[in-house]
Amino acid sequence: MSTRSSSARVKPASVIRPLVHDLHAYVPGEQPKIKGLIKLNTNENPYPPSPKVLAATKAAVDGRLRLYPNPAAQALREKLAKLHRCAPENIIIGNGSDELLALATRTFVEPAAAVRSSRTEQSRSTIQYFTPSYSLYPVLAAIHGARTNAVRLNSEFAIPSLEVLRKSKAWDFNAALTLVTTPNAPSGRAFTTTELDALCREHRGVVILDEAYVDFAEENALALALKHPHVLISRTFSKAYSLCFQRVGYFVGHPELIAALDKLRDSYNVNGLGQIAALATLDDLPYYRTNFRRIKATRARLTSSLAQLGFSVLPSQTNFILARPPKFAAREWLEKLRARKILVRWFSYPEVKDYIRITIGTDAEADALLRAAKKILA
Ligand SMILES: *Cc1c(COP(=O)(O)O)cnc(C)c1O
C-alpha cells in the first residue's frame, strides 16, 4: 500500500490533544460587515486614531516591510518608560494585551498535571479571578491546563472585603496568578487603588491588574506595579487609543517578572506598523484626552437618558455601560436592537444575563440607540 493511502486513514481528531479537542475557545464579539450598522458591541473607540498616527503608519508602508521589526519594541518601551516614570526594563510589549495575559499563564502558573494534590501545590497551578469579569481568563486557564478559582463579586459588583475573603476561604491568597480587571468588565465598575493595594499586599502569587479601560476612569493603579514586586499592570492601545486593529498592549512591573515573560515571548511578537502607530500615539496624547472627555460626556448623557426610559444603568468608569433593560428580557433587546441595525453585547452567564452591555459610541450613535429604544418600548 502506498504511503499516501495509509496516511489518509489518520483521523484528524486522533492527533489533536484531548485538552484542545474539548476546549471551549474564547468567543469574541461579532465583527459583521453590515452596511449602516452601529457597532456598540466590542468596546472599540468610535473616534479614529489621530491624523498624525495615520500619517506615520502610512509613511512606513514601503520597501521596509521586507525587514523584521525591532524584536524588543525598544523605542516604544523607552517612550512608555518616560511616560510612566519607570525604566524600559519595567515594560514588555505584546501583540495586544491578550498575548501578554496568555504569556503570563505560561510564565507563572504550573499546569495542574505538573503538581501534587496538596493545597499549597494546587495554588501553584491556580489562576484566580472574580466573576463577572473578562471572559478570556477561564479560557486562558483551560488552554494552559491550569486550575481556576472564580469568586463572585458581591451584589454591586464590588470586591468583597478582605475580612470576607479571608473568612470565606474561597479566595486563595497563594494562587499563582490572580487577574483583576479594573475598571471591571462587563460591569464598568472601578476599584479604588487603596482597596487594590490592600488586596495585593495579602497575595503571595502574581497579581495582574488589567487596566484595559483605565483612561476612562478616575484613577489608575500603575503605582502598585512599581511598588510591589509581584504586581503587574496590563494596558492596551486598543480601546482608549483607537488601535484595536494594530494589536499593541503592554505590561508594567518588576524587571525580573518582565524578563521572565520576555523569555517566552516570540522574537517578533509586535508587528512593525503596530510599533510605529503606538509611538506616534504617544506623541499626540492631547488628541486622545479630548476623545476621553467626549466619551465620558456621552456616557453621562446616555446613562441618564436610558434611566429615563426605565433602564437600570450601573455607574461606569469605562467606555461602555451595563444596563438592565425594561419590558423585555435582555436577550430580546439584543435581537430587537439588531433588527434596527444596532449591535450591543449580551452575556449568557447568570450574574449579567439580565443586562446588555453597550459600548459608548459617538453622540449621533447614542441618539440612534435612544431613538431605537423608544420605538422598541412604544
Ligand atoms: C479588550 C480587553 C483586553 C484586550 O485588549 P487587546 O490589547 O486588544 O488584546 C484585555 N483585557 C480586557 C479587560 C479587555 O476588555
mmCIF file with all atom_site columns, all heavy atoms in Angstrom, residues 42-43 95-99 101 134 137 181 183 185 210 212-213 234-239 244 247-249, ligand 1:
data_model
loop_
_atom_site.group_PDB
_atom_site.id
_atom_site.type_symbol
_atom_site.label_atom_id
_atom_site.label_alt_id
_atom_site.label_comp_id
_atom_site.label_asym_id
_atom_site.label_entity_id
_atom_site.label_seq_id
_atom_site.pdbx_PDB_ins_code
_atom_site.Cartn_x
_atom_site.Cartn_y
_atom_site.Cartn_z
_atom_site.occupancy
_atom_site.B_iso_or_equiv
_atom_site.pdbx_formal_charge
_atom_site.auth_seq_id
_atom_site.auth_comp_id
_atom_site.auth_asym_id
_atom_site.auth_atom_id
_atom_site.pdbx_PDB_model_num
ATOM   1   N N   . THR A 1 42  ? -18.141 45.765 20.957 1.00 0.00 ? 42  THR A N   1
ATOM   2   C CA  . THR A 1 42  ? -16.810 45.277 21.347 1.00 0.00 ? 42  THR A CA  1
ATOM   3   C C   . THR A 1 42  ? -15.917 46.374 21.941 1.00 0.00 ? 42  THR A C   1
ATOM   4   O O   . THR A 1 42  ? -14.692 46.224 21.978 1.00 0.00 ? 42  THR A O   1
ATOM   5   C CB  . THR A 1 42  ? -16.060 44.606 20.158 1.00 0.00 ? 42  THR A CB  1
ATOM   6   O OG1 . THR A 1 42  ? -16.113 45.487 19.042 1.00 0.00 ? 42  THR A OG1 1
ATOM   7   C CG2 . THR A 1 42  ? -16.667 43.272 19.784 1.00 0.00 ? 42  THR A CG2 1
ATOM   8   N N   . ASN A 1 43  ? -16.541 47.440 22.412 1.00 0.00 ? 43  ASN A N   1
ATOM   9   C CA  . ASN A 1 43  ? -15.813 48.499 23.129 1.00 0.00 ? 43  ASN A CA  1
ATOM   10  C C   . ASN A 1 43  ? -14.702 49.147 22.317 1.00 0.00 ? 43  ASN A C   1
ATOM   11  O O   . ASN A 1 43  ? -13.706 49.623 22.863 1.00 0.00 ? 43  ASN A O   1
ATOM   12  C CB  . ASN A 1 43  ? -15.261 47.972 24.466 1.00 0.00 ? 43  ASN A CB  1
ATOM   13  C CG  . ASN A 1 43  ? -16.370 47.469 25.360 1.00 0.00 ? 43  ASN A CG  1
ATOM   14  O OD1 . ASN A 1 43  ? -17.530 47.812 25.150 1.00 0.00 ? 43  ASN A OD1 1
ATOM   15  N ND2 . ASN A 1 43  ? -16.028 46.658 26.345 1.00 0.00 ? 43  ASN A ND2 1
ATOM   16  N N   . ASN A 1 95  ? 1.516   41.614 21.462 1.00 0.00 ? 95  ASN A N   1
ATOM   17  C CA  . ASN A 1 95  ? 0.644   41.687 20.293 1.00 0.00 ? 95  ASN A CA  1
ATOM   18  C C   . ASN A 1 95  ? -0.792  41.779 20.818 1.00 0.00 ? 95  ASN A C   1
ATOM   19  O O   . ASN A 1 95  ? -1.572  40.834 20.789 1.00 0.00 ? 95  ASN A O   1
ATOM   20  C CB  . ASN A 1 95  ? 0.874   40.427 19.452 1.00 0.00 ? 95  ASN A CB  1
ATOM   21  C CG  . ASN A 1 95  ? 0.059   40.425 18.178 1.00 0.00 ? 95  ASN A CG  1
ATOM   22  O OD1 . ASN A 1 95  ? -0.290  41.464 17.648 1.00 0.00 ? 95  ASN A OD1 1
ATOM   23  N ND2 . ASN A 1 95  ? -0.266  39.253 17.699 1.00 0.00 ? 95  ASN A ND2 1
ATOM   24  N N   . GLY A 1 96  ? -1.096  42.952 21.368 1.00 0.00 ? 96  GLY A N   1
ATOM   25  C CA  . GLY A 1 96  ? -2.311  43.115 22.163 1.00 0.00 ? 96  GLY A CA  1
ATOM   26  C C   . GLY A 1 96  ? -2.015  42.650 23.576 1.00 0.00 ? 96  GLY A C   1
ATOM   27  O O   . GLY A 1 96  ? -1.090  41.858 23.795 1.00 0.00 ? 96  GLY A O   1
ATOM   28  N N   . SER A 1 97  ? -2.768  43.175 24.552 1.00 0.00 ? 97  SER A N   1
ATOM   29  C CA  . SER A 1 97  ? -2.513  42.708 25.922 1.00 0.00 ? 97  SER A CA  1
ATOM   30  C C   . SER A 1 97  ? -2.961  41.261 26.096 1.00 0.00 ? 97  SER A C   1
ATOM   31  O O   . SER A 1 97  ? -2.465  40.550 26.962 1.00 0.00 ? 97  SER A O   1
ATOM   32  C CB  . SER A 1 97  ? -3.156  43.633 26.952 1.00 0.00 ? 97  SER A CB  1
ATOM   33  O OG  . SER A 1 97  ? -4.515  43.827 26.685 1.00 0.00 ? 97  SER A OG  1
ATOM   34  N N   . ASP A 1 98  ? -3.886  40.803 25.268 1.00 0.00 ? 98  ASP A N   1
ATOM   35  C CA  . ASP A 1 98  ? -4.299  39.393 25.338 1.00 0.00 ? 98  ASP A CA  1
ATOM   36  C C   . ASP A 1 98  ? -3.097  38.454 25.212 1.00 0.00 ? 98  ASP A C   1
ATOM   37  O O   . ASP A 1 98  ? -3.026  37.427 25.883 1.00 0.00 ? 98  ASP A O   1
ATOM   38  C CB  . ASP A 1 98  ? -5.289  39.064 24.216 1.00 0.00 ? 98  ASP A CB  1
ATOM   39  C CG  . ASP A 1 98  ? -6.704  39.549 24.522 1.00 0.00 ? 98  ASP A CG  1
ATOM   40  O OD1 . ASP A 1 98  ? -6.955  39.986 25.656 1.00 0.00 ? 98  ASP A OD1 1
ATOM   41  O OD2 . ASP A 1 98  ? -7.548  39.480 23.617 1.00 0.00 ? 98  ASP A OD2 1
ATOM   42  N N   . GLU A 1 99  ? -2.167  38.792 24.327 1.00 0.00 ? 99  GLU A N   1
ATOM   43  C CA  . GLU A 1 99  ? -0.993  37.925 24.169 1.00 0.00 ? 99  GLU A CA  1
ATOM   44  C C   . GLU A 1 99  ? -0.197  37.850 25.476 1.00 0.00 ? 99  GLU A C   1
ATOM   45  O O   . GLU A 1 99  ? 0.278   36.787 25.870 1.00 0.00 ? 99  GLU A O   1
ATOM   46  C CB  . GLU A 1 99  ? -0.077  38.433 23.050 1.00 0.00 ? 99  GLU A CB  1
ATOM   47  C CG  . GLU A 1 99  ? 1.074   37.449 22.800 1.00 0.00 ? 99  GLU A CG  1
ATOM   48  C CD  . GLU A 1 99  ? 2.318   38.048 22.155 1.00 0.00 ? 99  GLU A CD  1
ATOM   49  O OE1 . GLU A 1 99  ? 2.536   39.267 22.232 1.00 0.00 ? 99  GLU A OE1 1
ATOM   50  O OE2 . GLU A 1 99  ? 3.090   37.256 21.589 1.00 0.00 ? 99  GLU A OE2 1
ATOM   51  N N   . LEU A 1 101 ? -1.327  38.351 28.513 1.00 0.00 ? 101 LEU A N   1
ATOM   52  C CA  . LEU A 1 101 ? -2.073  37.599 29.535 1.00 0.00 ? 101 LEU A CA  1
ATOM   53  C C   . LEU A 1 101 ? -1.826  36.097 29.346 1.00 0.00 ? 101 LEU A C   1
ATOM   54  O O   . LEU A 1 101 ? -1.629  35.359 30.316 1.00 0.00 ? 101 LEU A O   1
ATOM   55  C CB  . LEU A 1 101 ? -3.576  37.919 29.450 1.00 0.00 ? 101 LEU A CB  1
ATOM   56  C CG  . LEU A 1 101 ? -3.971  39.367 29.787 1.00 0.00 ? 101 LEU A CG  1
ATOM   57  C CD1 . LEU A 1 101 ? -5.438  39.622 29.441 1.00 0.00 ? 101 LEU A CD1 1
ATOM   58  C CD2 . LEU A 1 101 ? -3.704  39.683 31.258 1.00 0.00 ? 101 LEU A CD2 1
ATOM   59  N N   . TYR A 1 134 ? -13.498 39.675 32.825 1.00 0.00 ? 134 TYR A N   1
ATOM   60  C CA  . TYR A 1 134 ? -13.132 39.421 31.421 1.00 0.00 ? 134 TYR A CA  1
ATOM   61  C C   . TYR A 1 134 ? -13.234 37.916 31.136 1.00 0.00 ? 134 TYR A C   1
ATOM   62  O O   . TYR A 1 134 ? -12.562 37.112 31.788 1.00 0.00 ? 134 TYR A O   1
ATOM   63  C CB  . TYR A 1 134 ? -11.712 39.926 31.209 1.00 0.00 ? 134 TYR A CB  1
ATOM   64  C CG  . TYR A 1 134 ? -11.217 39.946 29.781 1.00 0.00 ? 134 TYR A CG  1
ATOM   65  C CD1 . TYR A 1 134 ? -12.084 40.048 28.708 1.00 0.00 ? 134 TYR A CD1 1
ATOM   66  C CD2 . TYR A 1 134 ? -9.852  39.906 29.521 1.00 0.00 ? 134 TYR A CD2 1
ATOM   67  C CE1 . TYR A 1 134 ? -11.604 40.090 27.405 1.00 0.00 ? 134 TYR A CE1 1
ATOM   68  C CE2 . TYR A 1 134 ? -9.359  39.950 28.230 1.00 0.00 ? 134 TYR A CE2 1
ATOM   69  C CZ  . TYR A 1 134 ? -10.245 40.040 27.173 1.00 0.00 ? 134 TYR A CZ  1
ATOM   70  O OH  . TYR A 1 134 ? -9.767  40.081 25.890 1.00 0.00 ? 134 TYR A OH  1
ATOM   71  N N   . TYR A 1 137 ? -10.248 35.057 30.765 1.00 0.00 ? 137 TYR A N   1
ATOM   72  C CA  . TYR A 1 137 ? -9.424  34.440 31.821 1.00 0.00 ? 137 TYR A CA  1
ATOM   73  C C   . TYR A 1 137 ? -9.636  32.922 31.956 1.00 0.00 ? 137 TYR A C   1
ATOM   74  O O   . TYR A 1 137 ? -8.661  32.171 31.967 1.00 0.00 ? 137 TYR A O   1
ATOM   75  C CB  . TYR A 1 137 ? -9.636  35.136 33.169 1.00 0.00 ? 137 TYR A CB  1
ATOM   76  C CG  . TYR A 1 137 ? -9.353  36.621 33.202 1.00 0.00 ? 137 TYR A CG  1
ATOM   77  C CD1 . TYR A 1 137 ? -9.998  37.439 34.118 1.00 0.00 ? 137 TYR A CD1 1
ATOM   78  C CD2 . TYR A 1 137 ? -8.455  37.220 32.323 1.00 0.00 ? 137 TYR A CD2 1
ATOM   79  C CE1 . TYR A 1 137 ? -9.750  38.820 34.165 1.00 0.00 ? 137 TYR A CE1 1
ATOM   80  C CE2 . TYR A 1 137 ? -8.208  38.591 32.361 1.00 0.00 ? 137 TYR A CE2 1
ATOM   81  C CZ  . TYR A 1 137 ? -8.859  39.380 33.280 1.00 0.00 ? 137 TYR A CZ  1
ATOM   82  O OH  . TYR A 1 137 ? -8.623  40.734 33.326 1.00 0.00 ? 137 TYR A OH  1
ATOM   83  N N   . THR A 1 181 ? -9.639  42.784 36.688 1.00 0.00 ? 181 THR A N   1
ATOM   84  C CA  . THR A 1 181 ? -9.911  43.815 35.690 1.00 0.00 ? 181 THR A CA  1
ATOM   85  C C   . THR A 1 181 ? -10.400 45.059 36.411 1.00 0.00 ? 181 THR A C   1
ATOM   86  O O   . THR A 1 181 ? -11.377 45.003 37.149 1.00 0.00 ? 181 THR A O   1
ATOM   87  C CB  . THR A 1 181 ? -11.007 43.353 34.710 1.00 0.00 ? 181 THR A CB  1
ATOM   88  O OG1 . THR A 1 181 ? -10.692 42.061 34.247 1.00 0.00 ? 181 THR A OG1 1
ATOM   89  C CG2 . THR A 1 181 ? -11.113 44.299 33.532 1.00 0.00 ? 181 THR A CG2 1
ATOM   90  N N   . PRO A 1 183 ? -10.811 49.407 35.667 1.00 0.00 ? 183 PRO A N   1
ATOM   91  C CA  . PRO A 1 183 ? -12.228 49.165 35.928 1.00 0.00 ? 183 PRO A CA  1
ATOM   92  C C   . PRO A 1 183 ? -12.662 47.825 35.324 1.00 0.00 ? 183 PRO A C   1
ATOM   93  O O   . PRO A 1 183 ? -12.095 47.385 34.330 1.00 0.00 ? 183 PRO A O   1
ATOM   94  C CB  . PRO A 1 183 ? -12.939 50.315 35.233 1.00 0.00 ? 183 PRO A CB  1
ATOM   95  C CG  . PRO A 1 183 ? -11.898 51.349 34.944 1.00 0.00 ? 183 PRO A CG  1
ATOM   96  C CD  . PRO A 1 183 ? -10.589 50.634 34.885 1.00 0.00 ? 183 PRO A CD  1
ATOM   97  N N   . ALA A 1 185 ? -14.878 44.757 33.612 1.00 0.00 ? 185 ALA A N   1
ATOM   98  C CA  . ALA A 1 185 ? -15.781 44.474 32.501 1.00 0.00 ? 185 ALA A CA  1
ATOM   99  C C   . ALA A 1 185 ? -16.503 43.171 32.850 1.00 0.00 ? 185 ALA A C   1
ATOM   100 O O   . ALA A 1 185 ? -15.868 42.291 33.411 1.00 0.00 ? 185 ALA A O   1
ATOM   101 C CB  . ALA A 1 185 ? -14.989 44.298 31.212 1.00 0.00 ? 185 ALA A CB  1
ATOM   102 N N   . ASP A 1 210 ? -5.630  44.369 35.291 1.00 0.00 ? 210 ASP A N   1
ATOM   103 C CA  . ASP A 1 210 ? -5.891  44.562 33.869 1.00 0.00 ? 210 ASP A CA  1
ATOM   104 C C   . ASP A 1 210 ? -6.612  45.898 33.680 1.00 0.00 ? 210 ASP A C   1
ATOM   105 O O   . ASP A 1 210 ? -7.813  46.010 33.912 1.00 0.00 ? 210 ASP A O   1
ATOM   106 C CB  . ASP A 1 210 ? -6.724  43.379 33.363 1.00 0.00 ? 210 ASP A CB  1
ATOM   107 C CG  . ASP A 1 210 ? -7.002  43.431 31.868 1.00 0.00 ? 210 ASP A CG  1
ATOM   108 O OD1 . ASP A 1 210 ? -6.821  44.492 31.256 1.00 0.00 ? 210 ASP A OD1 1
ATOM   109 O OD2 . ASP A 1 210 ? -7.413  42.382 31.316 1.00 0.00 ? 210 ASP A OD2 1
ATOM   110 N N   . ALA A 1 212 ? -7.356  47.715 30.985 1.00 0.00 ? 212 ALA A N   1
ATOM   111 C CA  . ALA A 1 212 ? -7.696  47.964 29.581 1.00 0.00 ? 212 ALA A CA  1
ATOM   112 C C   . ALA A 1 212 ? -8.533  49.236 29.396 1.00 0.00 ? 212 ALA A C   1
ATOM   113 O O   . ALA A 1 212 ? -8.469  49.877 28.355 1.00 0.00 ? 212 ALA A O   1
ATOM   114 C CB  . ALA A 1 212 ? -8.438  46.761 29.000 1.00 0.00 ? 212 ALA A CB  1
ATOM   115 N N   . TYR A 1 213 ? -9.327  49.596 30.421 1.00 0.00 ? 213 TYR A N   1
ATOM   116 C CA  . TYR A 1 213 ? -10.253 50.736 30.280 1.00 0.00 ? 213 TYR A CA  1
ATOM   117 C C   . TYR A 1 213 ? -9.879  51.930 31.145 1.00 0.00 ? 213 TYR A C   1
ATOM   118 O O   . TYR A 1 213 ? -10.683 52.831 31.349 1.00 0.00 ? 213 TYR A O   1
ATOM   119 C CB  . TYR A 1 213 ? -11.675 50.270 30.631 1.00 0.00 ? 213 TYR A CB  1
ATOM   120 C CG  . TYR A 1 213 ? -12.149 49.161 29.737 1.00 0.00 ? 213 TYR A CG  1
ATOM   121 C CD1 . TYR A 1 213 ? -12.150 47.836 30.160 1.00 0.00 ? 213 TYR A CD1 1
ATOM   122 C CD2 . TYR A 1 213 ? -12.550 49.440 28.437 1.00 0.00 ? 213 TYR A CD2 1
ATOM   123 C CE1 . TYR A 1 213 ? -12.561 46.809 29.316 1.00 0.00 ? 213 TYR A CE1 1
ATOM   124 C CE2 . TYR A 1 213 ? -12.958 48.427 27.588 1.00 0.00 ? 213 TYR A CE2 1
ATOM   125 C CZ  . TYR A 1 213 ? -12.960 47.118 28.033 1.00 0.00 ? 213 TYR A CZ  1
ATOM   126 O OH  . TYR A 1 213 ? -13.358 46.122 27.191 1.00 0.00 ? 213 TYR A OH  1
ATOM   127 N N   . SER A 1 234 ? -1.585  45.731 33.325 1.00 0.00 ? 234 SER A N   1
ATOM   128 C CA  . SER A 1 234 ? -1.784  45.454 31.908 1.00 0.00 ? 234 SER A CA  1
ATOM   129 C C   . SER A 1 234 ? -2.512  46.630 31.259 1.00 0.00 ? 234 SER A C   1
ATOM   130 O O   . SER A 1 234 ? -3.533  47.089 31.768 1.00 0.00 ? 234 SER A O   1
ATOM   131 C CB  . SER A 1 234 ? -2.617  44.175 31.758 1.00 0.00 ? 234 SER A CB  1
ATOM   132 O OG  . SER A 1 234 ? -2.893  43.944 30.397 1.00 0.00 ? 234 SER A OG  1
ATOM   133 N N   . ARG A 1 235 ? -1.949  47.127 30.172 1.00 0.00 ? 235 ARG A N   1
ATOM   134 C CA  . ARG A 1 235 ? -2.554  48.242 29.446 1.00 0.00 ? 235 ARG A CA  1
ATOM   135 C C   . ARG A 1 235 ? -2.640  47.882 27.963 1.00 0.00 ? 235 ARG A C   1
ATOM   136 O O   . ARG A 1 235 ? -1.915  47.010 27.494 1.00 0.00 ? 235 ARG A O   1
ATOM   137 C CB  . ARG A 1 235 ? -1.699  49.512 29.584 1.00 0.00 ? 235 ARG A CB  1
ATOM   138 C CG  . ARG A 1 235 ? -1.601  50.063 31.001 1.00 0.00 ? 235 ARG A CG  1
ATOM   139 C CD  . ARG A 1 235 ? -2.742  51.013 31.295 1.00 0.00 ? 235 ARG A CD  1
ATOM   140 N NE  . ARG A 1 235 ? -2.667  51.550 32.651 1.00 0.00 ? 235 ARG A NE  1
ATOM   141 C CZ  . ARG A 1 235 ? -2.144  52.746 32.962 1.00 0.00 ? 235 ARG A CZ  1
ATOM   142 N NH1 . ARG A 1 235 ? -1.638  53.504 32.007 1.00 0.00 ? 235 ARG A NH1 1
ATOM   143 N NH2 . ARG A 1 235 ? -2.118  53.170 34.212 1.00 0.00 ? 235 ARG A NH2 1
ATOM   144 N N   . THR A 1 236 ? -3.487  48.595 27.248 1.00 0.00 ? 236 THR A N   1
ATOM   145 C CA  . THR A 1 236 ? -3.613  48.322 25.816 1.00 0.00 ? 236 THR A CA  1
ATOM   146 C C   . THR A 1 236 ? -3.839  49.605 25.034 1.00 0.00 ? 236 THR A C   1
ATOM   147 O O   . THR A 1 236 ? -4.425  50.564 25.550 1.00 0.00 ? 236 THR A O   1
ATOM   148 C CB  . THR A 1 236 ? -4.767  47.335 25.536 1.00 0.00 ? 236 THR A CB  1
ATOM   149 O OG1 . THR A 1 236 ? -4.916  47.195 24.125 1.00 0.00 ? 236 THR A OG1 1
ATOM   150 C CG2 . THR A 1 236 ? -6.091  47.809 26.128 1.00 0.00 ? 236 THR A CG2 1
ATOM   151 N N   . PHE A 1 237 ? -3.364  49.625 23.803 1.00 0.00 ? 237 PHE A N   1
ATOM   152 C CA  . PHE A 1 237 ? -3.650  50.741 22.908 1.00 0.00 ? 237 PHE A CA  1
ATOM   153 C C   . PHE A 1 237 ? -4.996  50.546 22.200 1.00 0.00 ? 237 PHE A C   1
ATOM   154 O O   . PHE A 1 237 ? -5.443  51.416 21.451 1.00 0.00 ? 237 PHE A O   1
ATOM   155 C CB  . PHE A 1 237 ? -2.538  50.872 21.847 1.00 0.00 ? 237 PHE A CB  1
ATOM   156 C CG  . PHE A 1 237 ? -1.282  51.521 22.384 1.00 0.00 ? 237 PHE A CG  1
ATOM   157 C CD1 . PHE A 1 237 ? -0.296  50.767 23.005 1.00 0.00 ? 237 PHE A CD1 1
ATOM   158 C CD2 . PHE A 1 237 ? -1.108  52.893 22.271 1.00 0.00 ? 237 PHE A CD2 1
ATOM   159 C CE1 . PHE A 1 237 ? 0.850   51.363 23.501 1.00 0.00 ? 237 PHE A CE1 1
ATOM   160 C CE2 . PHE A 1 237 ? 0.043   53.503 22.762 1.00 0.00 ? 237 PHE A CE2 1
ATOM   161 C CZ  . PHE A 1 237 ? 1.020   52.736 23.389 1.00 0.00 ? 237 PHE A CZ  1
ATOM   162 N N   . SER A 1 238 ? -5.610  49.394 22.409 1.00 0.00 ? 238 SER A N   1
ATOM   163 C CA  . SER A 1 238 ? -6.814  49.065 21.632 1.00 0.00 ? 238 SER A CA  1
ATOM   164 C C   . SER A 1 238 ? -7.973  50.012 21.895 1.00 0.00 ? 238 SER A C   1
ATOM   165 O O   . SER A 1 238 ? -8.490  50.642 20.978 1.00 0.00 ? 238 SER A O   1
ATOM   166 C CB  . SER A 1 238 ? -7.264  47.637 21.948 1.00 0.00 ? 238 SER A CB  1
ATOM   167 O OG  . SER A 1 238 ? -6.319  46.713 21.478 1.00 0.00 ? 238 SER A OG  1
ATOM   168 N N   . LYS A 1 239 ? -8.405  50.083 23.148 1.00 0.00 ? 239 LYS A N   1
ATOM   169 C CA  . LYS A 1 239 ? -9.686  50.711 23.442 1.00 0.00 ? 239 LYS A CA  1
ATOM   170 C C   . LYS A 1 239 ? -9.577  52.234 23.472 1.00 0.00 ? 239 LYS A C   1
ATOM   171 O O   . LYS A 1 239 ? -10.206 52.910 22.687 1.00 0.00 ? 239 LYS A O   1
ATOM   172 C CB  . LYS A 1 239 ? -10.226 50.183 24.775 1.00 0.00 ? 239 LYS A CB  1
ATOM   173 C CG  . LYS A 1 239 ? -10.121 48.657 24.951 1.00 0.00 ? 239 LYS A CG  1
ATOM   174 C CD  . LYS A 1 239 ? -11.193 47.912 24.245 1.00 0.00 ? 239 LYS A CD  1
ATOM   175 C CE  . LYS A 1 239 ? -11.111 46.393 24.234 1.00 0.00 ? 239 LYS A CE  1
ATOM   176 N NZ  . LYS A 1 239 ? -10.644 45.662 25.363 1.00 0.00 ? 239 LYS A NZ  1
ATOM   177 N N   . CYS A 1 244 ? -7.281  49.026 18.003 1.00 0.00 ? 244 CYS A N   1
ATOM   178 C CA  . CYS A 1 244 ? -7.560  47.579 18.080 1.00 0.00 ? 244 CYS A CA  1
ATOM   179 C C   . CYS A 1 244 ? -6.904  46.818 16.927 1.00 0.00 ? 244 CYS A C   1
ATOM   180 O O   . CYS A 1 244 ? -6.340  45.744 17.112 1.00 0.00 ? 244 CYS A O   1
ATOM   181 C CB  . CYS A 1 244 ? -9.066  47.323 18.013 1.00 0.00 ? 244 CYS A CB  1
ATOM   182 S SG  . CYS A 1 244 ? -9.980  47.909 19.435 1.00 0.00 ? 244 CYS A SG  1
ATOM   183 N N   . ARG A 1 247 ? -3.092  45.821 17.288 1.00 0.00 ? 247 ARG A N   1
ATOM   184 C CA  . ARG A 1 247 ? -2.714  44.845 18.301 1.00 0.00 ? 247 ARG A CA  1
ATOM   185 C C   . ARG A 1 247 ? -1.441  45.246 19.068 1.00 0.00 ? 247 ARG A C   1
ATOM   186 O O   . ARG A 1 247 ? -0.355  44.685 18.862 1.00 0.00 ? 247 ARG A O   1
ATOM   187 C CB  . ARG A 1 247 ? -2.507  43.442 17.667 1.00 0.00 ? 247 ARG A CB  1
ATOM   188 C CG  . ARG A 1 247 ? -3.568  42.954 16.716 1.00 0.00 ? 247 ARG A CG  1
ATOM   189 C CD  . ARG A 1 247 ? -4.939  42.820 17.352 1.00 0.00 ? 247 ARG A CD  1
ATOM   190 N NE  . ARG A 1 247 ? -4.887  41.991 18.534 1.00 0.00 ? 247 ARG A NE  1
ATOM   191 C CZ  . ARG A 1 247 ? -5.316  42.395 19.739 1.00 0.00 ? 247 ARG A CZ  1
ATOM   192 N NH1 . ARG A 1 247 ? -5.831  43.606 19.913 1.00 0.00 ? 247 ARG A NH1 1
ATOM   193 N NH2 . ARG A 1 247 ? -5.235  41.595 20.762 1.00 0.00 ? 247 ARG A NH2 1
ATOM   194 N N   . VAL A 1 248 ? -1.573  46.219 19.942 1.00 0.00 ? 248 VAL A N   1
ATOM   195 C CA  . VAL A 1 248 ? -0.430  46.585 20.795 1.00 0.00 ? 248 VAL A CA  1
ATOM   196 C C   . VAL A 1 248 ? -0.912  46.753 22.236 1.00 0.00 ? 248 VAL A C   1
ATOM   197 O O   . VAL A 1 248 ? -1.828  47.529 22.511 1.00 0.00 ? 248 VAL A O   1
ATOM   198 C CB  . VAL A 1 248 ? 0.267   47.896 20.350 1.00 0.00 ? 248 VAL A CB  1
ATOM   199 C CG1 . VAL A 1 248 ? 1.547   48.110 21.171 1.00 0.00 ? 248 VAL A CG1 1
ATOM   200 C CG2 . VAL A 1 248 ? 0.602   47.875 18.858 1.00 0.00 ? 248 VAL A CG2 1
ATOM   201 N N   . GLY A 1 249 ? -0.304  46.011 23.140 1.00 0.00 ? 249 GLY A N   1
ATOM   202 C CA  . GLY A 1 249 ? -0.595  46.149 24.563 1.00 0.00 ? 249 GLY A CA  1
ATOM   203 C C   . GLY A 1 249 ? 0.705   46.022 25.333 1.00 0.00 ? 249 GLY A C   1
ATOM   204 O O   . GLY A 1 249 ? 1.742   45.691 24.755 1.00 0.00 ? 249 GLY A O   1
HETATM 205 C C1  . LIG B 2 .   ? -10.135 44.407 25.331 1.00 0.00 ? 1   LIG B C1  1
HETATM 206 C C2  . LIG B 2 .   ? -9.564  43.850 26.572 1.00 0.00 ? 1   LIG B C2  1
HETATM 207 C C3  . LIG B 2 .   ? -8.280  43.320 26.605 1.00 0.00 ? 1   LIG B C3  1
HETATM 208 C C4  . LIG B 2 .   ? -7.509  43.023 25.359 1.00 0.00 ? 1   LIG B C4  1
HETATM 209 O O1  . LIG B 2 .   ? -7.002  44.040 24.708 1.00 0.00 ? 1   LIG B O1  1
HETATM 210 P P1  . LIG B 2 .   ? -6.009  43.817 23.484 1.00 0.00 ? 1   LIG B P1  1
HETATM 211 O O2  . LIG B 2 .   ? -4.858  44.673 23.855 1.00 0.00 ? 1   LIG B O2  1
HETATM 212 O O3  . LIG B 2 .   ? -6.759  44.302 22.305 1.00 0.00 ? 1   LIG B O3  1
HETATM 213 O O4  . LIG B 2 .   ? -5.631  42.382 23.387 1.00 0.00 ? 1   LIG B O4  1
HETATM 214 C C5  . LIG B 2 .   ? -7.757  42.898 27.803 1.00 0.00 ? 1   LIG B C5  1
HETATM 215 N N1  . LIG B 2 .   ? -8.466  42.972 28.939 1.00 0.00 ? 1   LIG B N1  1
HETATM 216 C C6  . LIG B 2 .   ? -9.711  43.454 28.949 1.00 0.00 ? 1   LIG B C6  1
HETATM 217 C C7  . LIG B 2 .   ? -10.466 43.502 30.232 1.00 0.00 ? 1   LIG B C7  1
HETATM 218 C C8  . LIG B 2 .   ? -10.304 43.899 27.777 1.00 0.00 ? 1   LIG B C8  1
HETATM 219 O O5  . LIG B 2 .   ? -11.555 44.336 27.783 1.00 0.00 ? 1   LIG B O5  1
#
